[in-house]
């Protein structure tokens, strides 16, 4: 089954999907790099967080959300959720007749070019780390040693708008001390929520460890895909930024977005995603 957009043209929006608010970092990076582009962001806040959920459920939820974006006429899909990327990237690229960009590959490439000693740490949700997506891509390079650690409470903190408390620092120390002791010089933030905790993570890891976040690197991938497919918005485009969520309260989404990002998000509309049938084979 291939779903095609209902609206054509280079001035159609870029669809950005995350399980919650973390993907707003990717949306911000895309807007900074491509200010003429319209963005349609959808956070699946009703079922967030994805990290601890079974991979089959994440796959189904993610494709339901992406179906909703495609039905609204986006010209590109950006999976701004590491757990979802690990669960269903291949499905998405087969299912949709629009380009699909994800967040894992760009971060891996940057980490490979950044490390000096070949020891790279990766942190992410339980789902992302157990999938081995980052480890598999990094360990293709035989000179690299990868140390992976699940940090599930980080998403809980961000989704609660808590980013700079002593409790955050204590949990960060507990999660990250083994990676620091392993001598990693590069740490991949394998979840789009984690940049909101970059201060605490950087403090615990120390000044000699480079942090790699996927937001800016993913934005560069978006740019490359749009250029190569002649899909850049025209010079007279009037960009719009629309934010949607599947949760029960628009006010809760707005309040959290404002606490994390200032007033960049001015309004959000609630949507429902439809159930889909997926092949089992």
């Amino acid at each position: 089954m291939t779903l095609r957009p209902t609206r054509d043209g280079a001035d159609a929006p870029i669809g950005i999907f995350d399980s919650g608010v973390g993907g707003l970092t990717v949306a911000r990076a895309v807007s900074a790099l491509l200010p003429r582009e319209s963005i349609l962001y959808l956070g699946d806040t009703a079922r967030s967080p994805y990290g601890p959920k079974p991979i089959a459920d994440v796959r189904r939820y993610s494709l339901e959300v992406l179906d909703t974006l495609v039905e609204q006429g986006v010209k590109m899909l950006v999976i701004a959720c590491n757990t979802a990327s690990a669960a269903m990237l291949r499905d998405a690229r087969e299912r949709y007749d629009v380009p699909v960009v994800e967040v894992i590959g760009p971060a891996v490439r940057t980490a490979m070019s950044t490390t000096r000693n070949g020891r790279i740490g990766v942190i992410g949700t339980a789902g992302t780390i157990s999938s081995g997506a980052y480890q598999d891509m990094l360990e293709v390079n035989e000179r690299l040693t990868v140390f992976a650690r699940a940090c599930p409470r980080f998403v809980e903190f961000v989704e609660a708008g808590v980013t700079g408390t002593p409790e955050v620092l204590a949990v960060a120390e507990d999660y990250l001390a083994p990676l620091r002791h392993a001598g990693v010089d590069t740490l991949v933030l394998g979840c789009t929520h984690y940049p909101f905790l970059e201060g605490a993570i950087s403090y615990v890891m120390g000044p000699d460890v480079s942090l790699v976040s996927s937001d800016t690197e993913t934005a560069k991938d978006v740019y490359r895909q749009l250029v190569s497919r002649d899909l850049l918005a025209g010079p007279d485009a009037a960009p719009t930024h629309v934010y949607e969520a599947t949760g029960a309260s628009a006010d809760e989404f707005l309040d959290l977005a404002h606490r994390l990002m200032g007033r960049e998000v001015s309004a959000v509309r609630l949507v429902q995603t439809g159930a889909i049938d997926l092949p089992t084979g």
Side-chain angles (χ1 to χ4, degrees):
M1 176 184 182
T2 299
L3 295 187
R4 293 177 170 80
T6 58
R7 189 166 106 223
D8 296 322
D11 291 341
I14 297 168
I16 301 179
F17 150 61
D18 186 57
S19 61
V21 298
L24 292 173
T25 58
V26 175
R28 178 169 56 188
V30 170
S31 294
L33 190 63
L34 295 160
R36 289 202 300 267
E37 297 295 337
S38 292
I39 288 175
L40 175 56
Y41 180 95
L42 206 170
D44 193 15
T45 48
R47 296 176 290 202
S48 181
Y50 279 8
K53 291 182 169 59
I55 192 168
D57 289 346
V58 172
R59 177 174 175 250
R60 185 174 74 255
Y61 299 158
S62 300
L63 292 173
E64 287 176 6
V65 173
L66 294 180
D67 279 6
T68 301
L69 287 171
V70 169
E71 288 164 0
Q72 294 182 78
V74 299
K75 66 180 177 183
M76 167 182 280
L77 292 168
V78 180
I79 307 173
C81 174
N82 288 263
T83 306
S85 293
M88 43 62 76
L89 177 60
R90 181 178 298 178
D91 297 286
R93 286 181 169 157
E94 292 176 352
R95 185 174 178 84
Y96 306 112
D97 193 30
V98 295
V100 179
V101 173
E102 48 82 36
V103 290
I104 296 176
V108 164
R109 291 191 292 272
T110 302
M112 285 181 170
S113 64
T114 300
T115 184
R116 304 172 304 280
N117 67 6
R119 300 172 75 82
I120 296 177
V122 178
I123 57 175
T125 66
T128 297
I129 298 303
S130 65
S131 76
Y134 277 98
Q135 299 93 307
D136 291 345
M137 292 182 71
L138 287 165
E139 289 171 351
V140 168
N141 187 328
E142 294 180 354
R143 76 178 184 89
L144 300 179
T145 305
V146 182
F147 303 86
R149 186 107 164 114
C151 304
R153 292 196 64 193
F154 280 176
V155 171
E156 296 174 13
F157 284 132
V158 172
E159 292 285 345
V162 178
T163 59
T165 66
E167 185 183 9
V168 170
L169 276 173
V171 171
E173 174 66 30
D174 181 57
Y175 283 151
L176 302 176
L179 302 179
R180 189 179 64 235
H181 295 153
V184 304
D185 74 346
T186 303
L187 180 65
V188 177
L189 308 186
C191 176
T192 49
H193 286 67
Y194 292 2
F196 292 116
L197 301 176
E198 192 166 336
I201 293 169
S202 180
Y203 178 82
V204 170
M205 294 304 297
D208 296 328
V209 176
S210 300
L211 304 186
V212 174
S213 176
S214 57
D215 49 2
T216 55
E217 301 307 317
T218 300
K220 293 174 187 176
D221 258 18
V222 168
Y223 180 87
R224 283 189 286 266
Q225 288 277 355
L226 292 179
V227 169
S228 67
R229 297 169 183 265
D230 196 25
L231 285 174
L232 281 174
D236 298 325
T240 59
H241 292 179
V242 176
Y243 301 90
E244 298 179 337
T246 61
S249 172
D251 289 340
E252 288 181 9
F253 184 96
L254 277 176
D255 179 64
L256 181 55
H258 290 165
R259 278 187 282 162
L260 294 172
M261 301 185 65
R263 309 297 294 187
E264 290 183 36
V265 181
S266 60
V268 63
R269 62 191 186 197
L270 299 180
V271 298
Q272 288 186 335
T273 61
I276 60 175
D277 294 321
L278 292 174
T280 57

